[in-house]
Amino acid sequence: MELKEVTTDNQDIEAKILQCAEREFMDKGFAGARTANIAEAAGVSKSALHYHFRSKEKLFERIINEKIEMLKEAIIPALYDVDRPLVIYIKNIIGHHLKFISANPHLPGFLIRELNSSSAQASTILNAIRGFSSTLLSVFGDKINRAVADGICEPVDIRMLIIDIVSLNVFPYMASPILNAALADCMANREEFMEMRRKENLELILRRLKPRQV
């Protein structure tokens, strides 16, 4: 079947291809994704897809980099707002990250599957993450270390604290089919569920840090 080319400008074409590619990659992983499927879903020919993105690898890299940039944009404002009281600072970190995960619920599982594949795509993901993770460790770590030095909270390994926050925020979305089946569609109302998790996760993290009000 001959596909009719999209007649909008290049930016619109690329945006449509990226949208369809993201869905294809999330559903099937890099290995199972097919550029023919992406092109058909986007309403362009395979040659047009390759004109804009060269290869499936380049398309995958673009999507991963854009997702990591979106994560940075979600977290960085809260991360660098270091003059906030510790409780508010932690609350904002948890809330911004949880909001991003709620908007991208399939991303964590997809990243883990690709990282476990031992493919070149795993390196693409790790390279995209490393820069941000070093910033997170440094800025977040400094905030916590100063709070510990000032007697505001209990000592904690910043790596373990980040793992705690990520685990608490991410797990419900990765396990949503099981949780919805076992717990009476607990995630049916996404906004309500996200707010409940934000409060619950904040309480759990603060129990670990035991901050005092100053």
Side-chain angles (χ1 to χ4, degrees):
M1 180 178 68
E2 185 177 351
L3 296 173
K4 184 179 180 180
E5 292 289 349
V6 178
T7 58
T8 53
D9 60 29
N10 286 343
Q11 188 174 11
D12 288 341
I13 294 172
E14 289 191 1
K16 184 63 176 178
I17 292 172
L18 286 169
Q19 181 184 50
C20 296
E22 180 180 336
R23 188 160 52 245
E24 178 81 358
F25 285 131
M26 295 292 171
D27 289 345
K28 301 175 182 177
F30 177 83
R34 296 289 178 266
T35 54
N37 294 343
I38 297 168
E40 182 174 5
V44 300
S45 65
K46 283 185 66 176
S47 61
L49 185 148
H50 287 288
Y51 169 79
H52 287 283
F53 293 101
R54 305 285 181 174
S55 65
K56 186 168 77 166
E57 289 78 9
K58 291 291 185 183
L59 190 51
F60 181 90
E61 183 177 349
R62 171 76 174 270
I63 289 170
I64 292 300
N65 287 335
E66 287 194 358
K67 285 297 181 183
I68 299 303
E69 284 302 313
M70 288 171 62
L71 174 61
K72 292 178 184 178
E73 290 172 5
I75 301 296
I76 287 294
L79 182 66
Y80 278 98
D81 197 11
V82 293
D83 291 332
R84 293 275 189 179
L86 182 63
V87 171
I88 302 300
Y89 184 78
I90 296 290
K91 177 182 177 181
N92 289 342
I93 292 286
I94 291 173
H96 281 68
H97 180 250
L98 185 58
K99 186 174 182 179
F100 174 81
I101 296 300
S102 182
N104 299 273
H106 303 299
L107 183 61
F110 166 73
L111 293 178
I112 290 171
R113 289 195 304 273
E114 294 300 320
L115 287 170
N116 287 333
S117 71
S118 300
S119 65
Q121 284 61 55
S123 297
T124 296
I125 295 169
L126 291 174
N127 289 336
I129 290 173
R130 282 194 179 104
F132 176 59
S133 63
S134 62
T135 300
L136 179 63
L137 284 166
S138 175
V139 178
F140 199 6
D142 285 348
K143 174 69 175 181
I144 297 299
N145 289 336
R146 287 199 302 272
V148 171
D150 292 340
I152 295 172
C153 71
E154 295 293 315
V156 62
D157 186 320
I158 188 61
R159 298 167 301 176
M160 297 300 105
L161 182 61
I162 291 172
I163 290 172
D164 288 342
I165 291 172
V166 171
S167 300
L168 288 167
N169 282 350
V170 166
F171 174 76
Y173 292 92
M174 291 185 65
S176 59
I178 297 172
L179 296 181
N180 275 326
L183 302 176
D185 290 329
C186 65
M187 298 177 69
N189 186 323
R190 289 276 176 153
E191 289 296 322
E192 182 179 288
F193 178 82
M194 185 179 71
E195 181 60 20
M196 291 173 66
R197 287 311 304 167
R198 186 189 65 77
K199 291 178 180 178
E200 182 73 12
N201 295 351
L202 176 62
E203 182 177 343
L204 290 169
I205 293 299
L206 293 183
R207 285 180 187 175
R208 167 63 185 89
L209 292 174
K210 300 176 183 176
R212 62 180 178 84
Q213 300 295 328
V214 293

